[in-house]
Amino acid sequence: MKYFLAALSAAAGALILLNPETVSGSVSGAVRDCLEVIVPSLFAFTVLAIWLQSSGLYRLLLRPITLPLSRLLRMDEELCAVIVLGNIGGYPVGAKLLSRLTSENRISREDAGRMLCCCFGSGPSFVIGIVGVKIFGSAAAGLAIFAACFCSSLIIAAAVRLKGEITLRESRSSFRFNAECFTDSVMSAARVMFTVCVMITAFAVIFSLMDILGITSAASGIFSLMGAGELSESIMPAFLEVTRLKSLKPAAEWVLPFCAGMLSFGGVCVHIQVMAVARGIPLKSFMASRLPAALLSALLSLPALLLPQPAAEALSPAAEVRPFSASALISACVLIMCGILLAGKKDKSKQSKTGFAAKRGKFR
């Protein structure tokens, strides 16, 4: 395996050196998408979700939803709050919230791995604002897709609960409303966004190399022979990186259930992001749940096909969602500053640990 990976890395390096313009163009496009689509649609919800959990307010604020949900699923109210936040905050948020609970020893890693199966969703900002409006020209279509994905997560949650009770220990801390809680929440959200953006950019390089080698066109041909029709060109890109859905054409047959299924599946890129954020939470159950969740979302979204289609002029280039490229430089500066702050905080943490160890040795 190591020789194969070494040869693959060498081949990738050679292709990057031989096709610098193609690869750099893909990287530029991915960075632009992150700054103009991903960060604006996910960052605010990510900060809010993490702050609500850190402050303890999610136990109070979401109770009108979590109380009936806990009785329906026969699950702790706080766990139901994590399910809700994991589905509205964006893909890695559920893993982030669960990893926090495991670090506080409030839930076992095995139970957190089971909970991750249903604490996973794209969030309404991306689904409605980007997929619904950009692809279908309709916020209602995006809302229908999000509802299908959320209901799929609830069905998965019920299945997880049937396999056994999930224990959540009581929290020892009360509500926190200080400045440190807020800044820690913002920094945690920045780490999540940084992971998301760099992974999307890395996969953009992979896609460019696949295009150069003709792998993308070959895969499209295979799916076309299998009867995928106009979706042939979108299956593999969406399977690898789900934000590629934004380039779909609404005229393609069954495009709405396809979007619902792929958003619930998440894509390989998102799965790697979850691995990075989960911090040791076992992912076997999570990976096994992705295909059933995708099929459930696609089935639950079928009634949305009855929604009236927008007029053709509504989907014309003039009506497309326009990226706010004027703020790209400012957003880039913000990301750079976030990276500097994160690096500084990491160094400070290491120094404090070293100092503590030295003091401990001195007292001994």
Side-chain angles (χ1 to χ4, degrees):
M1 176 61 75
K2 61 183 179 181
Y3 296 108
F4 171 74
L5 292 176
L8 195 63
S9 301
L15 286 174
I16 291 171
L17 291 174
L18 293 172
N19 301 273
E21 293 184 2
T22 302
V23 175
S24 62
S26 298
V27 171
S28 298
V31 171
R32 185 169 55 250
D33 286 344
C34 288
L35 295 176
E36 298 176 350
V37 177
I38 304 301
V39 174
S41 65
L42 294 182
F43 182 70
F45 264 108
T46 304
V47 172
L48 180 62
I50 295 175
W51 181 76
L52 285 174
Q53 188 197 37
S54 300
S55 64
L57 277 176
Y58 74 142
R59 298 194 298 267
L60 178 65
L61 183 64
L62 297 177
R63 197 161 191 220
I65 302 174
T66 59
L67 181 59
L69 199 58
S70 66
R71 293 177 178 175
L72 177 66
L73 298 176
R74 293 185 296 117
M75 191 180 290
D76 189 280
E77 279 189 53
E78 192 171 349
L79 289 177
C80 292
V82 175
I83 293 174
V84 173
L85 290 177
N87 279 275
I88 68 174
Y91 286 120
V93 169
K96 182 67 178 176
L97 300 180
L98 289 169
S99 68
R100 189 182 188 93
L101 292 177
T102 58
S103 66
E104 295 173 352
N105 293 320
R106 297 190 57 206
I107 188 173
S108 68
R109 294 191 179 276
E110 291 71 21
D111 284 348
R114 292 168 57 201
M115 283 296 300
L116 188 56
C117 299
C118 52
C119 300
F120 181 81
S122 180
S125 294
F126 181 78
V127 178
I128 299 173
I130 304 301
V131 176
V133 175
K134 188 174 178 62
I135 297 177
F136 301 98
S138 168
L143 182 60
I145 293 173
F146 175 74
C149 294
F150 186 73
C151 290
S152 173
S153 293
L154 295 183
I155 294 172
I156 295 293
V160 167
R161 178 61 183 84
L162 286 175
K163 290 185 177 180
E165 186 177 357
I166 297 176
T167 303
L168 181 69
R169 300 175 186 90
E170 290 292 332
S171 175
R172 296 180 181 178
S173 60
S174 57
F175 295 105
R176 295 174 59 205
F177 305 116
N178 53 23
E180 184 181 3
C181 176
F182 179 72
T183 55
D184 287 347
S185 300
V186 174
M187 295 302 292
S188 295
R191 292 187 191 94
V192 173
M193 286 295 97
F194 185 75
T195 302
V196 170
C197 290
V198 295
M199 285 305 304
I200 289 175
T201 306
F203 267 74
V205 175
I206 294 173
F207 278 120
S208 66
L209 298 180
M210 292 171 64
D211 289 338
I212 293 169
L213 294 173
I215 296 175
T216 306
S217 58
S220 300
I222 293 172
F223 286 122
S224 180
L225 291 174
M226 294 172 63
E230 295 184 34
L231 291 175
S232 301
E233 297 179 0
S234 305
I235 293 176
M236 189 180 71
F239 176 81
L240 294 176
E241 212 282 277
V242 74
T243 62
R244 297 272 169 163
L245 287 174
K246 67 182 187 301
S247 61
L248 278 172
K249 298 178 181 179
E253 190 177 6
W254 303 110
V255 66
L256 194 145
F258 175 74
C259 286
M262 293 311 303
L263 285 167
S264 194
F265 177 76
V268 176
C269 179
V270 172
H271 295 169
I272 296 176
Q273 296 168 27
V274 170
M275 292 177 190
V277 175
R279 294 185 180 180
I281 295 176
L283 300 176
K284 183 178 179 181
S285 298
F286 167 74
M287 298 303 297
S289 69
R290 287 307 89 209
L291 184 57
L295 293 174
L296 277 171
S297 296
L299 289 172
L300 292 171
S301 68
L302 289 178
L305 294 175
L306 302 176
L307 290 173
Q309 295 295 321
E313 57 270 16
L315 299 175
S316 64
E320 288 182 357
V321 177
R322 297 181 181 275
F324 36 94
S325 55
S327 64
L329 181 60
I330 298 175
S331 300
C333 292
V334 171
L335 285 179
I336 292 171
M337 286 188 290
C338 284
I340 294 172
L341 287 171
L342 292 175
K345 187 171 182 179
K346 186 176 180 182
D347 293 339
K348 186 176 179 181
S349 176
K350 287 182 178 179
Q351 290 175 3
S352 63
K353 288 180 180 178
T354 305
F356 178 75
K359 288 181 180 178
R360 226 174 137 186
K362 183 177 178 181
F363 284 119
R364 283 181 182 177

